Amino acid sequence: MTAATRTIVVGSLIAAVALRPAPAGATTTVATDGTTVTITVPIDLVGLPEDGGQITDMDTGEQHVYSDWLETKGEAIWNDAFARLPYRGCLTFDLDIQIHPVRSHLDRGHHRIDFDPFQPGNAVVYDPGVDHHNMDGTRAYTHPLLGDFGLITQETFAHEVGHLLGLGDDYLRDADKNVIDGAVEGREEGTLMHGSDSTTITQAIVDRVGALVDEVHDLPQCWTGTMEAVGSYGVDLPEGSLSCDYSWTAEFTLTVDDAGRAAGTGNAAIDPSSGCIEVLAPVGYPGTTPLSFEVEGVEDDDAFALVFTRDLVPTFPYHILTANPETVEIAKSDPCTAAASIEQGTEDFKRQAGVEGPGWDVVSTTHIELRCRADERE
Amino acid sequence: MSIGGRRCLAAAPTPGGAAIVDPTPTRSAGRGRRLRRRSLVALAVSAATACSGGPSAQPPEVGTGADVGAAAEVGTTAQVSTASEVSEVDTASELEAAITQFDDPGRPLSASLSVIHRHARERPDALRDAASRHLGTADADRRYAAVYALALTADDETSAARLREILDAADATERLVAANALVARGDKTGIPALIALLDVDEDVRFGVPPQRTWRAARFLLVQYTGQDLGLIGPDFDAARSAAAKPAWEQWWAEHGAALQWDADAGRFR
């Protein structure tokens, strides 16, 4: 082994460790509901008193049950970052840490950590699925991992949870096992995975978690959509007839699962310079208040078929959004791009909106574009 | 703080070792049982009762599944062997290797720590003896391994006395490891050593993950004494830790002699 190789081989995750066959069980699990991806990390903390032990919070001095405190702090550190930093721009991870203080080893698939207060704050998770401690790996999602923890801080615990999410260390050790300056190439210093003093979780770290989860669980694809609409409509008022020009834009996100089911949400906003806003607001027209909507449908190799819905009426002049339950076809020009321009007239609007009678005089053009992240299709 | 596990001193030895992989899942009849942490003296008195199946003994463990004890080490010669083929000589050499090969350049640090932890669970007495033989070595890394192993296994007054001697070591990490092992067992002689480390702004050697010495000392002092004295607060840094040191020294001078270990609370009062 060369010195250069050794530099990255030493560290906190055992390389190429042979273990007895791991029991099938929960391990680190993933469940997707729309754009929320819940990651559950069950940990048997072996040797901790069954009452969970006690700890003094170093920030506040408050007393807590140690096992509960670890759960709370670990989840807070990770979920604060997950809430701010969606994966692929649309998926939000939600971490659920479940610590079970147990007095002896149980064969139930949980990650199994031996707790020993006689060591000075070390914490090690052994991942036989990676070749050295800097590597990310997916074994935590398929097998229980083992480890040894001393009495550790919240920062150290959150770092170890990173390992139970599959992340490798971002710090480096030299051949003498001393920590050296710098970080793994392409990673950052001063983060949660670079040491035990920081709780900083960056988008890059979230993306690494996402890539690991996706490798095992095929996360939904993320698409972003935009709509731009221009047109005019006529309104008969006691004071006389009005012809109202308008324009509005909308943005929305879509997730598409393996079966091609698409679902998402968005917001639309009318251009304040559109006509008739002040005149029609008293009779319930949307005005300039942003309008939230939902979208669902299917995707295949050639196109999306989407239905835009919303629960507010009246919907004028959001014609496409009033098309419920009519389906909008959006053809793909390549695997990661889809677009459509939809012309609508008075009869279209009457049919979609379920109104009858003369008038309306609708002329509308709505351009819809959908784009996915290119790296998801590679 | 009230946290702790305690090993049964008389736990039956489990065969297998650093260079041995038993591919067959087995029940971990030999793994040390855990007792609620009490003082060093109380544990020593009760150990025989606990390990002989007396009232303090815990139920035997069920199903081991994946077992860190079965981990083979990188950089060592792995071989498959049945339990009956493991000789005492092999066991002794494995225990020695846990110390002497700790700094093997080809072995990941986690592998070295894993071996020590496994031996501490399965053969605490033998590991303690092996550790004691290497405490005086001039090789700093192996000496660290010996101190670490002793910290995990110091279940008698002799080894506690050895830990107290290490409190005067030149190396700050060795002092930290020894002090932690002592206070976690209810021996207050480790407290002034931790106070002395509050202004040591250097990495803990072999810290996993990396941590600063003052940060570890700060955490342990608060957990085992319940005192604040300037160490509790958000966004803490080395300067604040060092600034708190005089107050802690004064507190120790005034209250150290009267401190008593509260086994139920797991801290000094």
Side-chain angles (χ1 to χ4, degrees), chain B residues 8-172:
Chain B
C8 169
L9 296 178
T14 298
I20 296 172
V21 177
D22 181 351
T24 306
T26 60
R27 299 174 70 84
S28 58
R31 188 176 310 285
R33 295 165 180 164
R34 304 253 175 186
L35 306 177
R36 186 177 180 84
R37 174 152 43 77
R38 284 161 285 167
S39 72
L40 190 64
V41 174
L43 280 166
V45 171
S46 65
T49 302
C51 295
S52 62
S56 297
Q58 303 303 314
E61 299 155 8
V62 294
T64 56
D67 188 347
V68 71
E73 303 165 44
V74 175
T76 63
T77 303
Q79 64 184 80
V80 176
S81 176
T82 63
S84 62
E85 294 171 334
V86 179
S87 69
E88 291 300 322
V89 174
D90 291 336
T91 301
S93 63
E94 291 165 15
L95 290 163
E96 286 291 310
I99 309 298
T100 61
Q101 294 182 9
F102 183 86
D103 57 349
D104 184 335
R107 170 192 276 185
L109 176 56
S110 56
S112 295
L113 293 174
S114 169
V115 171
I116 291 178
H117 278 280
R118 179 164 53 80
H119 285 312
R121 280 190 290 271
E122 298 175 353
R123 311 173 184 79
D125 296 350
L127 179 63
R128 184 171 57 249
D129 292 344
S132 298
R133 287 193 293 273
H134 291 278
L135 289 174
T137 180
D139 184 304
D141 294 350
R142 295 181 187 186
R143 192 171 63 247
Y144 168 87
V147 172
Y148 194 94
L150 182 64
L152 297 180
T153 59
D155 282 355
D156 57 21
E157 180 52 38
T158 300
S159 47
R162 290 192 172 114
L163 286 173
R164 286 193 284 272
E165 292 174 3
I166 298 167
L167 298 179
D168 294 324
D171 182 82

Side-chain angles (χ1 to χ4, degrees), chain A residues 11-15 18 53-54 56 58 103 105 112 115-116 118-120 122-123 146 148 173 177 196-197, chain B residues 2-3 6-7 34 58 62 64 66-68 70 74 104 107 110 121 148 180 207-208 210-211 215 223 233 267:
Chain A
S12 70
L13 298 176
I14 278 187
Q54 293 292 314
T56 300
M58 297 301 293
R103 304 179 79 170
H105 292 172
R112 201 175 69 202
F115 173 75
D116 189 335
F118 306 136
Q119 59 159 313
N122 276 356
L146 308 178
D148 286 296
R173 291 186 189 274
K177 302 179 174 63
S196 62
D197 293 348
Chain B
S2 175
I3 295 169
R6 200 74 180 113
R7 296 184 189 85
R34 304 253 175 186
Q58 303 303 314
V62 294
T64 56
D67 188 347
V68 71
V74 175
D104 184 335
R107 170 192 276 185
S110 56
R121 280 190 290 271
Y148 194 94
N180 174 72
V208 184
Q211 62 177 329
R215 192 179 290 275
Q223 299 309 323
R267 68 173 24 152

Side-chain angles (χ1 to χ4, degrees), chain A residues 219-339:
Chain A
L219 291 174
Q221 300 160 19
C222 290
W223 290 71
T224 57
T226 59
M227 286 192 285
E228 296 180 357
V230 295
S232 64
Y233 56 93
V235 179
D236 291 328
L237 297 174
E239 298 84 357
S241 296
L242 292 175
S243 179
C244 308
D245 296 328
Y246 70 87
S247 64
W248 57 265
T249 59
E251 295 180 345
F252 59 98
T253 59
L254 275 179
T255 60
V256 183
D257 66 17
D258 278 354
R261 291 181 294 251
T265 59
N267 289 285
I270 195 166
D271 185 337
S273 65
S274 299
C276 307
I277 291 177
E278 293 181 1
V279 175
L280 297 179
V283 293
Y285 279 55
T288 56
T289 303
L291 185 75
S292 61
F293 61 90
E294 296 180 352
V295 55
E296 61 183 19
V298 295
E299 179 218 14
D300 61 23
D301 291 342
D302 301 321
F304 280 87
L306 301 178
V307 174
F308 295 87
T309 63
R310 68 183 195 87
D311 55 9
L312 288 177
V313 289
T315 57
F316 212 66
Y318 298 102
H319 297 159
I320 290 298
L321 301 181
T322 68
N324 185 26
E326 291 196 6
T327 300
V328 178
E329 298 285 343
I330 308 170
K332 291 181 179 176
S333 56
D334 64 54
C336 218
T337 307

Side-chain angles (χ1 to χ4, degrees), chain A residues 95-364:
Chain A
L95 180 63
D96 179 14
I97 300 171
Q98 300 176 351
I99 294 181
H100 307 276
V102 295
R103 304 179 79 170
S104 59
H105 292 172
L106 302 174
D107 187 13
R108 55 181 177 180
H110 294 178
H111 301 301
R112 201 175 69 202
I113 306 297
D114 280 290
F115 173 75
D116 189 335
F118 306 136
Q119 59 159 313
N122 276 356
V124 188
V125 169
Y126 309 104
D127 187 345
V130 297
D131 290 336
H132 60 77
H133 77 111
N134 293 127
M135 287 182 64
D136 295 345
T138 59
R139 190 177 177 88
Y141 298 90
T142 58
H143 294 73
L145 299 185
L146 308 178
D148 286 296
F149 287 5
L151 182 62
I152 56 175
T153 64
Q154 63 195 55
E155 293 86 356
T156 296
F157 178 69
H159 174 98
E160 297 308 312
V161 169
H163 292 320
L164 297 175
L165 296 174
L167 297 175
D169 290 317
D170 293 353
Y171 61 85
L172 298 169
R173 291 186 189 274
D174 62 16
D176 294 325
K177 302 179 174 63
N178 298 310
V179 176
I180 58 177
D181 290 341
V184 175
E185 186 175 359
R187 300 185 193 168
E188 301 160 274
E189 297 183 57
T191 68
L192 180 69
M193 298 312 294
H194 189 260
S196 62
D197 293 348
S198 170
T199 58
T200 300
I201 297 172
T202 62
Q203 182 69 60
I205 290 176
V206 174
D207 289 348
R208 284 162 60 197
V209 172
L212 292 165
V213 172
D214 188 47
E215 187 174 335
V216 179
H217 291 278
D218 288 329
L219 291 174
Q221 300 160 19
C222 290
W223 290 71
T224 57
T226 59
M227 286 192 285
E228 296 180 357
V230 295
S232 64
Y233 56 93
V235 179
D236 291 328
L237 297 174
E239 298 84 357
S241 296
L242 292 175
S243 179
C244 308
D245 296 328
Y246 70 87
S247 64
W248 57 265
T249 59
E251 295 180 345
F252 59 98
T253 59
L254 275 179
T255 60
V256 183
D257 66 17
D258 278 354
R261 291 181 294 251
T265 59
N267 289 285
I270 195 166
D271 185 337
S273 65
S274 299
C276 307
I277 291 177
E278 293 181 1
V279 175
L280 297 179
V283 293
Y285 279 55
T288 56
T289 303
L291 185 75
S292 61
F293 61 90
E294 296 180 352
V295 55
E296 61 183 19
V298 295
E299 179 218 14
D300 61 23
D301 291 342
D302 301 321
F304 280 87
L306 301 178
V307 174
F308 295 87
T309 63
R310 68 183 195 87
D311 55 9
L312 288 177
V313 289
T315 57
F316 212 66
Y318 298 102
H319 297 159
I320 290 298
L321 301 181
T322 68
N324 185 26
E326 291 196 6
T327 300
V328 178
E329 298 285 343
I330 308 170
K332 291 181 179 176
S333 56
D334 64 54
C336 218
T337 307
S341 283
I342 300 168
E343 305 288 341
Q344 293 179 302
T346 302
E347 294 307 314
D348 298 314
F349 173 74
K350 287 182 177 178
R351 182 181 70 255
Q352 294 159 4
V355 296
E356 297 178 346
W360 305 103
D361 297 327
V362 171
V363 176
S364 171

